[in-house]
Amino acid sequence: MTGDLAISSLRGGAIDAIRSADLDRKTALAQESATRWFVRRVSLRSPLDAALPERPGRPEKPVLTPPTQVEKRSLHTLKGRIALLHAIAHIELNAVDLALDIVARFATEPVPNSFFDGWMQVAFEEAKHFRMVRARLNDLGADYGDLPAHDGLWQAAHSTRNDLTARLAVVPLILEARGLDVTPSLQAKMRETGDLESAAVLDVIYNDEKGHVAVGAKWFRFLCAREKRDPAKAFQELVRANFRGPLKPPFNDLARAEAGLTPSFYRSLASISHA
């Protein structure tokens, strides 16, 4: 598929991937843009780049609903495991677009090229995760789009579209870090039910996500240092301003700390709620 992907620049490839409603093409573009960028076969941006869309391209299904209307099911049933994998596929698909958006939207920021290296590595791996989860759904006789999915994830991108530091606080350091908190118990439950194939997919996702949070923490600290801001305090201020709802314990303090996200960042926010 990579032969027919015209990529004007890193930003151009990222924007085309975000805009694509064909999910095979979206993930192929994300990975091919990353591959070409890593060997510097494309420039960072070009006058030929398309405009960044308000929302990413999506197929007609799944139907998007408020998070409260997405049904919870027991993992001890096939339907329940399919529902969980479907929800994870949806999260991973949004993560592809969020990683690409941070590259495309902030391509004119005065940051080193290694910033874009980090986020394209994230985009490449999120595309891999989406494909893995979708393939596992197919193994179980289902597909992405069969169930409704919630529409809250893109809100984080929209609310932080004008502030790179806020984007880093909310997307990798809240949303991705949440994956580190919840995935170990899901892995254990999948193993309990005997679904070792799904557990193995979650293992790959969990290990990669630690690296994604680390990319977020590294560049959040970089920007705070440049602005002479205390990272933990800046994180709390940005979260209060840009994120609805409290941070939910229990926290996987060890995995978070390995990624550079220490409890001084998030502990004081756990009990704070915003209507």
Side-chain angles (χ1 to χ4, degrees):
M1 167 137 205
T2 55
D4 64 348
L5 298 177
I7 295 170
S8 56
S9 69
L10 178 63
R11 180 175 63 180
I15 289 170
D16 287 349
I18 293 167
R19 290 163 70 109
S20 182
D22 175 331
L23 303 185
D24 290 330
R25 187 168 186 276
K26 182 189 289 287
T27 51
L29 266 167
Q31 293 193 326
E32 182 63 14
S33 298
T35 302
R36 292 187 198 180
W37 170 253
F38 294 150
V39 294
R40 301 299 189 258
R41 278 180 51 211
V42 289
S43 61
L44 177 57
R45 26 182 217 277
S46 156
L48 303 175
D49 299 342
L52 191 59
E54 275 288 301
R55 289 180 68 87
R58 287 285 182 270
E60 287 180 18
K61 289 187 165 182
V63 174
L64 297 178
T65 62
T68 49
Q69 289 176 21
V70 177
E71 198 180 332
K72 298 256 193 305
R73 292 190 177 103
S74 165
L75 290 187
H76 289 281
T77 66
L78 176 62
K79 273 189 172 175
R81 292 200 299 283
I82 287 171
L84 173 70
L85 289 166
H86 193 279
I88 292 170
H90 186 64
I91 289 166
E92 297 300 329
L93 177 61
N94 276 276
V96 175
D97 285 317
L98 286 166
L100 294 168
D101 186 82
I102 207 169
V103 167
R105 187 173 300 277
F106 299 105
T108 54
E109 288 280 324
V111 288
N113 276 346
S114 52
F115 174 88
F116 302 104
D117 295 346
W119 288 110
M120 289 313 294
Q121 183 66 35
V122 173
F124 189 98
E125 289 172 355
E126 302 291 18
K128 175 186 75 176
H129 297 167
F130 175 74
R131 286 178 171 171
M132 289 174 73
V133 180
R134 191 176 194 181
R136 184 64 193 137
L137 280 169
N138 295 164
D139 293 345
L140 297 174
D143 196 9
Y144 177 67
D146 288 354
L147 299 169
H150 76 76
D151 195 29
L153 293 164
W154 195 250
Q155 187 54 44
H158 187 72
S159 67
T160 57
R161 65 194 181 281
N162 299 319
D163 183 342
L164 177 55
T165 315
R167 171 66 63 89
L168 293 172
V170 172
V171 174
L173 302 188
I174 293 183
L175 300 181
E176 291 247 24
R178 180 83 183 126
L180 300 183
D181 302 335
V182 301
T183 306
S185 69
L186 296 177
Q187 290 166 301
K189 282 176 189 161
M190 284 292 191
R191 286 196 185 91
E192 271 169 38
T193 65
D195 189 343
L196 302 183
E197 294 86 355
S198 296
V201 171
L202 292 177
D203 289 346
V204 172
I205 291 174
Y206 179 67
N207 288 319
D208 287 347
E209 297 293 351
K210 286 182 194 172
H212 301 176
V213 177
V215 171
K218 170 186 171 177
W219 291 107
F220 184 80
R221 289 175 184 278
F222 171 88
L223 293 176
C224 287
R226 195 163 72 184
E227 296 163 16
K228 299 187 167 46
R229 297 171 79 181
D230 173 79
K233 265 196 195 135
F235 177 74
Q236 289 154 19
E237 287 162 11
L238 289 162
V239 171
R240 288 186 185 115
N242 295 285
F243 187 74
R244 295 169 74 82
L247 304 194
K248 295 175 187 153
F251 299 111
N252 185 343
D253 290 328
L254 183 59
R256 284 166 168 254
E258 283 173 4
L261 188 58
T262 49
S264 61
F265 274 66
Y266 54 86
R267 278 283 175 207
S268 65
L269 295 166
S271 57
I272 294 169
S273 180
H274 301 286

